[in-house]
Structure formats: structure tokens, C-alpha cells
Amino acid sequence: MFKVMSVSTSSVPRPESAAPSPPARLSALPALPRIARRGTPEGALPALALFVAVRFAGVLTVILTNALRGHPLVKTLAHSWDSRWYLHIAAQGYGHKIWITPQGAVQADWAFFPLYPGMIRALTTVLPLTPGQAALLISWICAGVAAYGVYAIGHLLYGRGVATALVALWAVMPHAVELTIAYTESLFAALAIWSLYHVLKRNWLWAGTLAALAGLARPSGFAIALAVSLAAAHEAWRRRGRVPVSLWAGAVLAPLGWLGYVLWVGSQTGNLLGGYFKVQSAWDSKFDFGVGSAKFVKSLLLHGGGVVYPMALVIVAAGVLLFALLCLERAPLALVVFAGVLILLVVGGSGSFSSKPRFLLPAFPLLIPMARALTRTWRVRPAHAVLVYGALTVVSLLFGAFLTAVAHSPL
């Protein structure tokens, strides 16, 4: 459908436990010092083992599906859609590849943020790995690191039981397969989640540094930057200005990764402030206040859309509902801001609707209301909890395999 071109730089146009502590509340953020005195989260191993087992089963399901269809067994894990762009950037750098759409839009590799391909290149330099193998290794390790971060935050706020349920639910999101393919979601999630953990612990330098790195991983990196900066501003206001220098340093560091890359792309295109957004618009990626989403929903209701697109709509709608429930939980400010910005980008942004659920993968705070409900169900009717979780697991595995190995919709 697209014409692939490899060109030189000069030819590219420049254009949550049994006795849990209460959750931190938006209006009760001063209670956070008590929470912050907790040590390293305990009891994470069963939760992480479950996460690894579920996601490993997801990878095996994809491989089996490929085998049944006569396709290369792991190709769809390492060489699907955006993966090819990241691998090309890792090998050749920026400015060497474009796509030209039938409408004549020039889609340049500058739309892809540099941290993931840079890590791929670094890993292939020191280890005898192909770029695809390196990309998968990074994604799988980062998925585990992110899952531990989810547990750490859940344990910090709600105790062991909810933390375990939170990780378990994150493992079986319908599109969680995309945590284990050569995409940036695992890397971004690991950095953003641990940045949020350090916000809750008031380790502002760590929070800002990790947020800056997350801003080099994905365009949605400004969501974690905004979460860190607003949480720091709220803390400064609460203390009436008597704050450590590290707080201001973290707040300043947080947006630098995202902002730096955006300005670099602008300098390459000759339009410092608008160049990056022009590059993204060629990919039909822009914030249109939900006009594109409304058109998609109308078209889907009138004409249908297979499996992937209705499922995407259900996932996004569920995300909006879960965000409302998260606000009713009165979760910590940083978690609400982070999840809320990601929801806003998904609903208010244009682009292929089949990709939108992927953008919500890092938004694990949305699962907090479900995790607390699942924990309560486990205490009263454990068989019901197992049945519900089993059903969610089956859906996740089958949909993930279909999404990556069968469907032809953009991931």
C-alpha cells in the first residue's frame, strides 16, 4: 500500500494487603510522608512470576499462531509495523528512510523518538545479537521492570493484595501483547512508572531524571513530565515555598527529554518550533479535539469494522470509565494526571484507532479500581475471582495473537 524508499539525508524534505493503608488522596497529599517511610516493597515475587508466566504464554501463543499460518515464527514479534522503523534507525540513524502515502504525504523517520533505537544499537555493539533480537530483549526486560514498578506503587499505596492484583490485571490487558514485541511501550512504561514511584516517595531528582528519559522514548513522554512537574508544584504550594532544591531540579529536568527531541527535529526541518508537529501531521498524528475519533465511531457504527476496531473502541471507552472511577478513588495527583493526559491524547488525537489501545498500556493507574474490586472478590469468593481472571487471560492471549499474527490493522 505504501511505496518504501531509502534516501539520503539530503533528499528527505525538512519539514493494591490484608490490613492495607488507605490510598493517598488528592486532598490529603500531606499524608504522603507516612507512606514514603515504607521500605522496599515485599512479596513482589509471586506477582512478577504471574506476570512473566502470562506474558510468556502470550509470546508462545503468537509463535504458535504464526506456525499454524505458515509464517516465520517470531517475525511478527520483532518486525511488525513501527518495529521496522526503529530497527532501521538503529542501523542507519535518522534521515535515511521515508514512506510516501498514496495521498502524497511524506512520512519521515523523525516521527520516532531516539531512546529505543539508540539502546538497540548500543546492545548490538556489545553483544552478538541481531537488531531484532536486541529490540525484543530490551522490551522483555523493560516489561519486567515496569511490572515491578506497578507492584511497588500498588504496595506503597494499598498494600500487597492490591499490588498483586494490579500487576496481574496489567498482564492481561487485551493488548498487553504489545509489551513483548519490538515496540517502545515497555521502555516508556518502565521509565514513567518508576518516575511516578519516586514522585510518591518524594525523590524528586530521580523522578525528574526518569521522566526526562521517558520523554526520549515516546511522543507521550510529556504526560509523565507534566505529572512530575504538577506534583512538584503542588508540593511546593503545600510547603508554602519551603522546599528543597531537588524538588525544583526534578521539575525542571522532567520535560527536557521530550522538549529536546522536539526542538532537534525542528532544527532539522528548518522550523524549530513547528517542524516536529509538521512531521507528525504527515502520519495523521495530531490533536484535533476528538474530531477524528468521532468520525471513526460514526463510521464504525454505520459500516462495522471486523474485530480489531470494535475491540479498540471498547478498550478506549473502558479506559474513559476507569479514569472516572480512578478520580472517585481520589488517587495521588501524579497518577491522575499521568493517566488523564494519556486518555486525553487517545480520545482527542487523530490517527489510526487500532493503535489507540496501545497508547493506554502505560496508564496502569486506570486499573486501580479493578484491582481493589478483584482483591475484595478474592477474599469473599475466591473461585469467582479466579474465574474472572481466567477469562481475562484467555481474551488477552487470543486477542494478542490475532492482533499481531493475523490482523492487518496497524499496531
mmCIF file of all heavy atoms in Angstrom, residues 146-163:
data_model
loop_
_atom_site.group_PDB
_atom_site.id
_atom_site.type_symbol
_atom_site.label_atom_id
_atom_site.label_comp_id
_atom_site.label_asym_id
_atom_site.label_seq_id
_atom_site.Cartn_x
_atom_site.Cartn_y
_atom_site.Cartn_z
ATOM 1 N N ALA A 146 8.935 -2.690 34.466
ATOM 2 C CA ALA A 146 7.694 -1.925 34.597
ATOM 3 C C ALA A 146 6.707 -2.631 35.511
ATOM 4 O O ALA A 146 6.043 -2.002 36.345
ATOM 5 C CB ALA A 146 7.080 -1.694 33.219
ATOM 6 N N ALA A 147 6.583 -3.960 35.382
ATOM 7 C CA ALA A 147 5.666 -4.722 36.230
ATOM 8 C C ALA A 147 6.059 -4.599 37.700
ATOM 9 O O ALA A 147 5.191 -4.462 38.581
ATOM 10 C CB ALA A 147 5.657 -6.191 35.809
ATOM 11 N N TYR A 148 7.367 -4.604 37.972
ATOM 12 C CA TYR A 148 7.823 -4.424 39.353
ATOM 13 C C TYR A 148 7.480 -3.023 39.851
ATOM 14 O O TYR A 148 7.118 -2.822 41.011
ATOM 15 C CB TYR A 148 9.319 -4.681 39.457
ATOM 16 C CG TYR A 148 9.864 -4.583 40.865
ATOM 17 C CD1 TYR A 148 9.240 -5.253 41.917
ATOM 18 C CD2 TYR A 148 10.995 -3.831 41.147
ATOM 19 C CE1 TYR A 148 9.735 -5.169 43.211
ATOM 20 C CE2 TYR A 148 11.503 -3.736 42.437
ATOM 21 C CZ TYR A 148 10.863 -4.402 43.467
ATOM 22 O OH TYR A 148 11.345 -4.316 44.749
ATOM 23 N N GLY A 149 7.567 -2.045 38.978
ATOM 24 C CA GLY A 149 7.174 -0.685 39.338
ATOM 25 C C GLY A 149 5.696 -0.579 39.645
ATOM 26 O O GLY A 149 5.295 0.123 40.581
ATOM 27 N N VAL A 150 4.877 -1.261 38.868
ATOM 28 C CA VAL A 150 3.438 -1.294 39.141
ATOM 29 C C VAL A 150 3.185 -1.876 40.519
ATOM 30 O O VAL A 150 2.381 -1.349 41.310
ATOM 31 C CB VAL A 150 2.703 -2.108 38.059
ATOM 32 C CG1 VAL A 150 1.237 -2.335 38.449
ATOM 33 C CG2 VAL A 150 2.775 -1.401 36.709
ATOM 34 N N TYR A 151 3.888 -2.981 40.827
ATOM 35 C CA TYR A 151 3.735 -3.597 42.151
ATOM 36 C C TYR A 151 4.198 -2.645 43.260
ATOM 37 O O TYR A 151 3.540 -2.508 44.293
ATOM 38 C CB TYR A 151 4.536 -4.895 42.227
ATOM 39 C CG TYR A 151 4.376 -5.608 43.548
ATOM 40 C CD1 TYR A 151 3.360 -6.537 43.730
ATOM 41 C CD2 TYR A 151 5.220 -5.342 44.629
ATOM 42 C CE1 TYR A 151 3.184 -7.179 44.950
ATOM 43 C CE2 TYR A 151 5.055 -5.971 45.857
ATOM 44 C CZ TYR A 151 4.032 -6.886 46.004
ATOM 45 O OH TYR A 151 3.846 -7.511 47.217
ATOM 46 N N ALA A 152 5.327 -1.973 43.039
ATOM 47 C CA ALA A 152 5.875 -1.078 44.054
ATOM 48 C C ALA A 152 4.905 0.048 44.387
ATOM 49 O O ALA A 152 4.709 0.390 45.558
ATOM 50 C CB ALA A 152 7.214 -0.507 43.575
ATOM 51 N N ILE A 153 4.290 0.621 43.358
ATOM 52 C CA ILE A 153 3.330 1.701 43.601
ATOM 53 C C ILE A 153 2.075 1.167 44.280
ATOM 54 O O ILE A 153 1.547 1.764 45.228
ATOM 55 C CB ILE A 153 2.988 2.406 42.277
ATOM 56 C CG1 ILE A 153 4.213 3.190 41.784
ATOM 57 C CG2 ILE A 153 1.786 3.346 42.453
ATOM 58 C CD1 ILE A 153 4.018 3.877 40.458
ATOM 59 N N GLY A 154 1.574 0.027 43.812
ATOM 60 C CA GLY A 154 0.400 -0.577 44.437
ATOM 61 C C GLY A 154 0.641 -0.926 45.887
ATOM 62 O O GLY A 154 -0.213 -0.686 46.758
ATOM 63 N N HIS A 155 1.826 -1.465 46.198
ATOM 64 C CA HIS A 155 2.183 -1.817 47.573
ATOM 65 C C HIS A 155 2.326 -0.572 48.434
ATOM 66 O O HIS A 155 1.911 -0.537 49.593
ATOM 67 C CB HIS A 155 3.494 -2.605 47.557
ATOM 68 C CG HIS A 155 3.892 -3.158 48.887
ATOM 69 N ND1 HIS A 155 4.588 -2.429 49.825
ATOM 70 C CD2 HIS A 155 3.700 -4.389 49.440
ATOM 71 C CE1 HIS A 155 4.808 -3.178 50.893
ATOM 72 N NE2 HIS A 155 4.279 -4.374 50.693
ATOM 73 N N LEU A 156 2.898 0.467 47.877
ATOM 74 C CA LEU A 156 3.108 1.713 48.608
ATOM 75 C C LEU A 156 1.789 2.350 49.034
ATOM 76 O O LEU A 156 1.658 2.869 50.138
ATOM 77 C CB LEU A 156 3.886 2.688 47.726
ATOM 78 C CG LEU A 156 4.375 3.991 48.349
ATOM 79 C CD1 LEU A 156 5.461 3.727 49.384
ATOM 80 C CD2 LEU A 156 4.901 4.912 47.250
ATOM 81 N N LEU A 157 0.809 2.272 48.163
ATOM 82 C CA LEU A 157 -0.457 2.959 48.401
ATOM 83 C C LEU A 157 -1.517 2.092 49.057
ATOM 84 O O LEU A 157 -2.297 2.566 49.889
ATOM 85 C CB LEU A 157 -1.009 3.506 47.084
ATOM 86 C CG LEU A 157 -0.148 4.544 46.371
ATOM 87 C CD1 LEU A 157 -0.785 4.921 45.043
ATOM 88 C CD2 LEU A 157 0.037 5.773 47.251
ATOM 89 N N TYR A 158 -1.580 0.801 48.688
ATOM 90 C CA TYR A 158 -2.707 -0.034 49.094
ATOM 91 C C TYR A 158 -2.313 -1.337 49.777
ATOM 92 O O TYR A 158 -3.165 -2.031 50.298
ATOM 93 C CB TYR A 158 -3.569 -0.380 47.872
ATOM 94 C CG TYR A 158 -4.070 0.833 47.145
ATOM 95 C CD1 TYR A 158 -3.436 1.279 45.975
ATOM 96 C CD2 TYR A 158 -5.168 1.554 47.612
ATOM 97 C CE1 TYR A 158 -3.885 2.398 45.297
ATOM 98 C CE2 TYR A 158 -5.620 2.669 46.936
ATOM 99 C CZ TYR A 158 -4.973 3.092 45.782
ATOM 100 O OH TYR A 158 -5.427 4.202 45.124
ATOM 101 N N GLY A 159 -1.057 -1.729 49.747
ATOM 102 C CA GLY A 159 -0.625 -2.972 50.356
ATOM 103 C C GLY A 159 -0.460 -4.089 49.346
ATOM 104 O O GLY A 159 -0.708 -3.941 48.146
ATOM 105 N N ARG A 160 -0.050 -5.250 49.854
ATOM 106 C CA ARG A 160 0.369 -6.362 48.998
ATOM 107 C C ARG A 160 -0.747 -6.923 48.127
ATOM 108 O O ARG A 160 -0.529 -7.244 46.953
ATOM 109 C CB ARG A 160 0.950 -7.469 49.888
ATOM 110 C CG ARG A 160 1.439 -8.677 49.127
ATOM 111 C CD ARG A 160 2.117 -9.644 50.077
ATOM 112 N NE ARG A 160 2.524 -10.868 49.397
ATOM 113 C CZ ARG A 160 3.205 -11.846 49.975
ATOM 114 N NH1 ARG A 160 3.558 -11.732 51.253
ATOM 115 N NH2 ARG A 160 3.527 -12.928 49.313
ATOM 116 N N GLY A 161 -1.942 -7.071 48.717
ATOM 117 C CA GLY A 161 -3.025 -7.704 47.960
ATOM 118 C C GLY A 161 -3.386 -6.943 46.706
ATOM 119 O O GLY A 161 -3.456 -7.510 45.604
ATOM 120 N N VAL A 162 -3.620 -5.658 46.841
ATOM 121 C CA VAL A 162 -3.983 -4.850 45.676
ATOM 122 C C VAL A 162 -2.816 -4.747 44.706
ATOM 123 O O VAL A 162 -3.003 -4.752 43.485
ATOM 124 C CB VAL A 162 -4.475 -3.459 46.116
ATOM 125 C CG1 VAL A 162 -4.662 -2.538 44.919
ATOM 126 C CG2 VAL A 162 -5.792 -3.582 46.877
ATOM 127 N N ALA A 163 -1.600 -4.654 45.241
ATOM 128 C CA ALA A 163 -0.432 -4.586 44.368
ATOM 129 C C ALA A 163 -0.333 -5.814 43.482
ATOM 130 O O ALA A 163 -0.053 -5.711 42.275
ATOM 131 C CB ALA A 163 0.839 -4.438 45.217
#
